[in-house]
Amino acid sequence: MSIKLFKSLLAAAIILLPFCASAAETSVAADSVMNSSRPAFTKRHVARSAVSIGIGLGLNAGATELLKHNINRLRPDGSDRNSFPSRHTSWAFTLSTAASNELYVYSPWWVSGLQTAANAVGFQRVLSRRHHPSDVLTGALTGTVSAEIGYILGRLIIKDDSWHLYRGAAEISSPSFDVTTDGIFPVGAAWTGSTGDKIEFHTGIGTTLRGILPVNPRFFLSGSIFGRTFSVKQGGVELKPFSVAGLNVGAGIRTSFTSTSPWSAEGMVEAGAGVARSPIGGENVLASYNINVSGNVVRQLSRNFACGVSAGYMMMTVPHTVSAITFGVFSRAVF
């Protein structure tokens, strides 16, 4: 059942992205004239990109293999002790981050698609029981940080005057579309089951596809599709992942740091319902209700693209209440 939920979420993303990209075509075309951060395609730019990507790939390979060969964690399916971290996920996020660094100035929808694909790799590794969610989170962090360090060092090694950070004001009055990757850390999510065994929720991963519609420059409405999967133990024995997918609606407030700053901050509350596949007491399909409160810090990187980090708190019923702290990163395509 969890595979079907995951496929439904991914299919929705694939269906929605082309329509969003088409709707944004006019603003992206305008960005080609207005956005001063778009680099010229020169030999120096190509060399800087090659060096940056090469460093990022090398760092990811070294870090991932060092962890793989020194932390002998058993896979959920019991096949071997090479679970930590997820190599597939680290490479997916390295390539996604590197490609996003090159392509975000041409169209934000490249980044949305790349992050969605990288998230899909991570979910597949958990749902197939090849990795724990914490393996995937570590792989995603390793890949993203490796690629970003590669670009920082690449720009220091090869000076490229055609590239510079966008200095325009944050876009807080335009509709947007977010793709978020979340680490979910349950707090006190344990209870005694009907058999007397202790049931515990452990680290989870999540992804959210969210549309934001401003009502005015300070207030906005939101709607999202989400997917989450958690490690669950019963009596100390790890079960199949607990997975949930559903819909949320909500509202929030936002403000830019100054009228000309590319930085902005947001606060958001969302609530909704979903369908969960629970391994507790057998293969059960449950209705799940949730509420999420989060705060975001956003950095505008072009007229049509921004990225940010988020921190929040969520509660969901499974049917017992599970509370968790969430931390995430997101990419934002602005219409």
Side-chain angles (χ1 to χ4, degrees), residues 21-91:
S22 177
E25 185 175 353
T26 302
S27 58
V28 171
D31 189 37
S32 66
V33 177
M34 298 170 59
N35 181 9
S36 60
S37 70
R38 185 185 296 270
F41 195 73
T42 64
K43 290 183 179 180
R44 181 170 288 273
H45 174 75
V46 173
R48 191 266 299 163
S49 297
V51 169
S52 300
I53 293 170
I55 293 173
L57 295 177
L59 288 173
N60 179 65
T64 300
E65 297 310 313
L66 181 65
L67 293 171
K68 276 278 189 188
H69 290 90
N70 287 279
I71 301 178
N72 299 315
R73 188 181 194 184
L74 185 68
R75 292 186 188 272
D77 63 5
S79 59
D80 60 44
R81 290 189 170 273
N82 290 316
S83 187
F84 185 90
S86 168
R87 184 186 288 117
H88 283 75
T89 307
S90 74
W91 282 108

Side-chain angles (χ1 to χ4, degrees), residues 233-246:
K233 290 185 178 181
Q234 184 170 8
V237 177
E238 185 154 356
L239 306 177
K240 292 181 179 180
F242 176 95
S243 302
V244 58

Side-chain angles (χ1 to χ4, degrees), residues 35-37 164-170 260-263 299-301:
N35 181 9
S36 60
S37 70
H164 59 275
L165 273 175
Y166 182 76
R167 301 297 182 185
T260 59
S261 173
W263 294 91
R299 209 300 182 178
Q300 199 76 30
L301 290 176

